[in-house]
């Protein structure tokens, strides 16, 4: 794929194998989507039961957060068997059924591969920690203490404290970027790479359409274990970790994002390319170099298809100037990178709360997401306009939140159960008490109520997704002329058949913008977009979309 193709492929000429390119992906956090067996925890059969709903949104694909065997210390992001389903979520048979049913409805399924680390209960780790001589002794990152007994270097865990945990049997430390129960695999060891590629092959053979690759830039660490330098005060922006986390004090030059990762990503891509129409979405977490890494990992057609970016998952709102800044950076640092944007996910406060958006602003952001260049990820419940749930300390499950409470409340507030039915016990999520409480405030926005109202947020999202799919310029065209006029962000999307002018007032001051010359027609009025002209006056949260056909 050359740069031109990458930028300008249009839906008309789009191969079905290109579904990911500008596609809309719906993220499911399986514990909290739909319980089918009355244990208070969502499961795969629950997802199958809701496929009609998901298909009705008009999305292209589903990404399901991990459902593999796991002690659930990090709720599935600590895998103890990569090739099986945790009994809590069902069985491998249930997954195959889900895959078949989804495919029958035209939905792709991406699974979440957590390759950077395993659970400490994984048999690989049990073997590795058993001695310094066993065949898997170097499958994890083991290092001797300094002479004073302290850890080998200053690397920090995202979940708090040193990234090193002492092991009394080997009399060595092991590396963990997250919980102590998530030991980091040693990608410098060729057998580890092979074993993980076998895991990917296992799921490709089963028929999955792609992978969301967890913490893809954490795969490799610096072999020499050099200390990370301190970050200057003014650069300690908190895009990956909350502001109260000392993880933000370091420039993670050596603990992640190592050059050796590229050849591994190329091996993974080559494997994926043996199968038709599969896609790799790598999650890149790096507060300093996120966009550069995205460019590095997605340029050309030999690495990842797209990278999942943190830029719009931040606390900082999507103002015109910030959005322009991100796209300018993307352009200069990573010209042909293909981003995948998300405003919400299972790790951050829901964006309606995080950015304090009212109803009109939430609707406007949904349209903006569908107009930005890149693929788009929606997080379950976002389509209902859900705000963050309040979870009291006694009900907290997330170890990250328990560690930093109350300054950072962790990730439970965005992981509470999906709300399906206003009147039902537990909002239709389960017949039992759920693992996290249903939010009464969220329950008011349940799916059945939203279905009954043509003007609901749910139906607005459906229309926004449909707009993107109706216009190849929006899903996969070029983006140019991004400008800020006070609070208003304007830009053009364009492919060989059409050009779309987009203007969004992301602030509160009424602002007039001038439309480029030409004969434009307004679109998106069914979404609340205002009628355009030579000039457009946009009040708070208003937007205007105009199209002109080429040739
Ligand atoms: C996932 C988190 C998880 C972490 C460790 C991530 O970025 O999205 O939920 O805790 O990786 O696997
Ligand atoms: Mg269940």
């Amino acid at each position: 794929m050359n740069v031109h193709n990458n930028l300008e492929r249009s839906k008309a000429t789009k191969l079905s194998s290109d579904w990911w390119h500008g596609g809309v992906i719906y993220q499911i956090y399986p514990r909290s989507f739909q319980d089918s067996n009355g244990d208070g925890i969502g499961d795969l059969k629950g997802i199958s039961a809701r496929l009609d709903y998901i298909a009705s949104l008009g999305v292209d694909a589903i990404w399901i957060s991990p459902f593999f065997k796991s002690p659930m210390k990090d709720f599935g992001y600590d895998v103890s068997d990569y090739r099986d389903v945790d009994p809590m979520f069902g069985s491998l048979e249930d997954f195959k059924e889900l895959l078949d049913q989804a495919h029958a409805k035209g939905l792709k399924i991406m699974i979440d591969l957590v390759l950077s680390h395993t659970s400490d209960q994984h048999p690989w780790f049990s073997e590795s920690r058993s001695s310094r001589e066993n065949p898997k002794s170097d499958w994890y990152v083991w290092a001797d203490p300094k002479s004073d007994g302290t850890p080998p270097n200053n690397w920090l865990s995202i979940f708090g404290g040193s990234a090193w945990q002492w092991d009394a049997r080997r009399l060595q430390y092991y590396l963990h970027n997250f919980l102590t129960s998530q030991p980091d695999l040693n990608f410098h060891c060729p057998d580890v790479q092979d074993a993980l590629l076998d895991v990917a092959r296992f799921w490709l053979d089963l028929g999955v359409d792609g992978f969301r690759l967890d913490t893809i830039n954490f795969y490799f660490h610096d072999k020499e274990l050099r200390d990370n330098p301190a970050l200057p005060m003014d650069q300690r922006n908190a895009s990956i970790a909350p502001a109260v986390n000392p993880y933000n004090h370091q420039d993670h030059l050596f603990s992640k994002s190592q050059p050796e990762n590229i050849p591994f990503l190329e091996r993974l891509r080559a494997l994926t390319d043996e199968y038709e129409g599969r896609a790799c979405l790598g999650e890149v977490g790096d507060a300093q170099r996120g966009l550069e890494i995205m460019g590095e990992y997605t340029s050309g057609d030999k690495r990842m298809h797209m990278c999942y970016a943190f830029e719009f998952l931040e606390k900082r709102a999507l103002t015109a100037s910030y959005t322009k800044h991100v796209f300018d950076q993307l352009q200069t640092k990573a010209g042909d990178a293909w981003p995948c944007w998300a405003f919400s996910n299972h790790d951050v406060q829901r964006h309606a709360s995080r950015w304090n958006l009212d109803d009109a602003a939430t609707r406007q952001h949904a349209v903006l997401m569908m107009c930005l260049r890149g693929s788009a990820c929606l997080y379950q419940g976002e389509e209902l306009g859900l705000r963050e749930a309040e979870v009291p300390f006694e009900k907290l499950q997330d170890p990250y939140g328990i560690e930093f409470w109350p300054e950072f409340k962790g990730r439970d507030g965005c992981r509470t159960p999906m709300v399906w039915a206003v009147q039902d016990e537990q909002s239709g999520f389960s017949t039992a008490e759920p693992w996290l409480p249903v939010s009464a405030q969220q329950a008011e926005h349940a799916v059945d109520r939203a279905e009954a109202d043509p003007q609901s947020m749910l139906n607005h999202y459906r229309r926004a997704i449909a707009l993107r799919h109706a216009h190849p310029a929006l899903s996969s065209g070029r983006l140019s002329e991004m400008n800020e006029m006070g609070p208003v962000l304007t830009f053009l999307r364009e492919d060989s058949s059409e050009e779309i002018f987009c203007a969004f007032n992301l602030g509160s001051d009424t602002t007039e913008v001038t439309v480029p010359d030409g004969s434009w027609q307004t679109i998106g009025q069914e979404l609340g977009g205002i009628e355009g002209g030579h000039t457009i006056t946009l009040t708070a949260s208003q937007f205007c979309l105009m199209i002109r056909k080429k040739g």
Side-chain angles (χ1 to χ4, degrees):
M1 174 198 324
N2 63 32
V3 175
H4 181 75
N5 275 346
N6 194 357
L7 296 179
E8 253 211 280
R9 230 167 324 174
S10 72
K11 182 118 184 174
T13 58
K14 217 171 181 177
L15 306 164
S16 66
S17 60
D18 273 354
W19 59 270
W20 57 272
H21 193 256
V24 183
I25 302 165
Y26 185 76
Q27 183 196 351
I28 291 181
Y29 193 67
R31 294 181 75 87
S32 301
F33 193 61
Q34 177 67 65
D35 177 21
S36 75
N37 63 348
D39 64 355
I41 298 172
D43 40 54
L44 296 179
K45 280 203 163 98
I47 300 175
S48 292
R50 295 294 185 184
L51 282 175
D52 282 335
Y53 170 77
I54 302 166
S56 79
L57 301 173
V59 299
D60 300 281
I62 308 172
W63 144 31
I64 311 174
S65 279
F67 48 79
F68 316 101
K69 259 206 180 117
S70 162
M72 301 290 165
K73 294 288 184 335
D74 190 20
F75 301 104
Y77 284 91
D78 48 328
V79 178
S80 56
D81 184 349
Y82 284 112
R83 295 164 195 252
D84 207 354
V85 170
D86 195 277
M88 177 183 284
F89 293 126
S91 64
L92 210 48
E93 276 314 305
D94 294 338
F95 180 72
K96 289 182 193 161
E97 221 161 279
L98 167 58
L99 196 58
D100 285 347
Q101 290 181 25
H103 286 165
K105 294 180 198 301
L107 291 166
K108 310 283 183 188
I109 294 214
M110 306 180 81
I111 61 165
D112 199 328
L113 281 189
V114 189
L115 303 183
S116 189
H117 44 265
T118 67
S119 157
D120 61 351
Q121 304 302 307
H122 196 293
W124 295 346
F125 188 67
S126 307
E127 189 176 340
S128 188
R129 84 189 315 183
S130 67
S131 71
R132 293 196 192 192
E133 291 81 33
N134 71 78
K136 294 198 172 53
S137 58
D138 62 346
W139 276 43
Y140 293 82
V141 186
W142 294 99
D144 292 332
K146 285 186 177 163
S147 57
D148 63 1
T150 56
N153 65 25
N154 70 353
W155 297 352
L156 292 172
S157 152
I158 295 197
F159 289 160
S162 169
W164 296 96
Q165 176 69 15
W166 181 247
D167 184 83
R169 195 156 343 151
R170 283 186 57 145
L171 300 175
Q172 281 182 313
Y173 284 97
Y174 66 83
L175 179 68
H176 61 92
N177 286 298
F178 296 89
L179 296 172
T180 55
S181 55
Q182 291 168 300
D184 213 62
L185 279 162
N186 178 17
F187 276 68
H188 293 289
C189 167
D191 289 348
V192 167
Q193 293 191 20
D194 293 346
L196 293 172
L197 291 173
D198 279 350
V199 167
R201 186 181 289 285
F202 173 84
W203 291 99
L204 289 167
D205 283 339
L206 222 74
V208 302
D209 301 287
F211 303 122
R212 181 267 189 185
L213 295 150
D214 191 64
T215 59
I216 194 178
N217 59 319
F218 286 69
Y219 288 174
F220 284 82
H221 63 283
D222 174 44
K223 254 188 178 166
E224 294 171 41
L225 305 183
R226 281 170 282 188
D227 273 347
N228 284 327
L231 254 191
M233 265 311 198
D234 61 346
Q235 287 174 38
R236 293 181 185 178
N237 52 337
S239 73
I240 307 298
V244 292
N245 191 339
Y247 190 79
N248 298 313
H249 296 207
Q250 287 187 1
D251 190 355
H252 303 273
L253 273 186
F254 297 112
S255 47
K256 60 186 182 185
S257 310
Q258 297 302 293
E260 293 95 327
N261 204 20
I262 300 288
F264 176 73
L265 298 183
E266 290 176 349
R267 291 188 70 193
L268 180 58
R269 174 62 182 264
L271 168 66
T272 309
D273 281 351
E274 289 176 30
Y275 301 75
E276 183 69 25
R278 320 294 170 98
C280 294
L281 166 60
E283 181 203 27
V284 172
D286 191 299
Q288 273 62 55
R289 284 167 294 275
L291 293 174
E292 271 161 78
I293 296 169
M294 182 197 291
E296 221 186 315
Y297 288 8
T298 65
S299 70
D301 60 359
K302 295 208 159 25
R303 299 173 185 174
M304 301 295 91
H305 297 80
M306 46 187 171
C307 277
Y308 186 83
F310 280 68
E311 275 65 27
F312 300 147
L313 290 165
E314 290 192 18
K315 187 87 191 158
R316 123 171 74 163
L318 238 82
T319 58
S321 73
Y322 179 54
T323 311
K324 177 171 160 49
H325 168 77
V326 169
F327 275 85
D328 285 352
Q329 296 275 307
L330 196 60
Q331 186 55 42
T332 45
K333 292 183 173 167
D336 72 333
W338 194 255
C340 179
W341 304 116
F343 295 161
S344 284
N345 69 16
H346 65 296
D347 289 331
V348 297
Q349 221 187 5
R350 287 182 177 276
H351 70 273
S353 299
R354 196 171 79 242
W355 296 333
N356 199 16
L357 306 178
D358 62 13
D359 183 78
T362 309
R363 287 169 189 261
Q364 182 209 37
H365 278 69
V367 179
L368 174 61
M369 168 74 103
M370 294 304 139
C371 292
L372 291 177
R373 175 179 171 271
S375 300
C377 253
L378 305 177
Y379 177 54
Q380 66 182 49
E382 167 176 352
E383 74 280 15
L384 304 173
L386 298 187
R387 303 180 77 81
E388 186 81 349
E390 279 296 327
V391 181
F393 184 73
E394 316 77 70
K395 298 267 183 188
L396 232 51
Q397 301 283 341
D398 182 15
Y400 198 5
I402 294 168
E403 179 78 23
F404 286 97
W405 180 276
E407 278 68 25
F408 168 63
K409 294 181 177 170
R411 302 168 293 178
D412 291 322
C414 63
R415 296 177 175 180
T416 54
M418 179 72 175
V419 285
W420 297 102
V422 174
Q423 299 296 339
D424 285 14
E425 195 192 345
Q426 312 298 355
S427 293
F429 166 70
S430 176
T431 50
E433 189 182 332
W435 74 288
L436 278 173
V438 171
S439 151
Q441 159 253 323
Q442 288 184 353
E444 293 299 309
H445 302 269
V447 171
D448 63 349
R449 179 173 281 173
E451 290 286 11
D453 173 8
Q455 295 312 320
S456 64
M457 188 67 75
L458 172 61
N459 284 314
H460 175 81
Y461 264 83
R462 284 179 173 138
R463 288 190 284 266
I465 296 166
L467 179 84
R468 183 188 186 89
H469 283 137
H471 294 284
L474 294 182
S475 54
S476 45
R478 284 191 327 122
L479 182 147
S480 61
E481 303 293 324
M482 191 172 258
N483 286 307
E484 56 173 302
M485 267 173 257
V488 175
L489 178 75
T490 61
F491 55 92
L492 284 174
R493 297 298 310 280
E494 175 188 2
D495 80 334
S496 50
S497 66
E498 61 185 10
E499 198 174 355
I500 298 178
F501 175 74
C502 309
F504 292 84
N505 188 339
L506 296 165
S508 48
D509 293 342
T510 300
T511 304
E512 190 178 275
V513 298
T514 310
V515 178
D517 288 340
S519 65
W520 298 92
Q521 275 183 343
T522 306
I523 55 170
Q525 280 160 306
E526 74 285 6
L527 289 156
I530 66 159
E531 175 81 45
H534 294 300
T535 59
I536 324 166
T537 304
L538 295 167
T539 63
S541 303
Q542 280 189 330
F543 64 92
C544 176
L545 305 175
M546 296 170 85
I547 193 167
R548 73 180 165 199
K549 292 284 176 192
K550 288 186 175 172

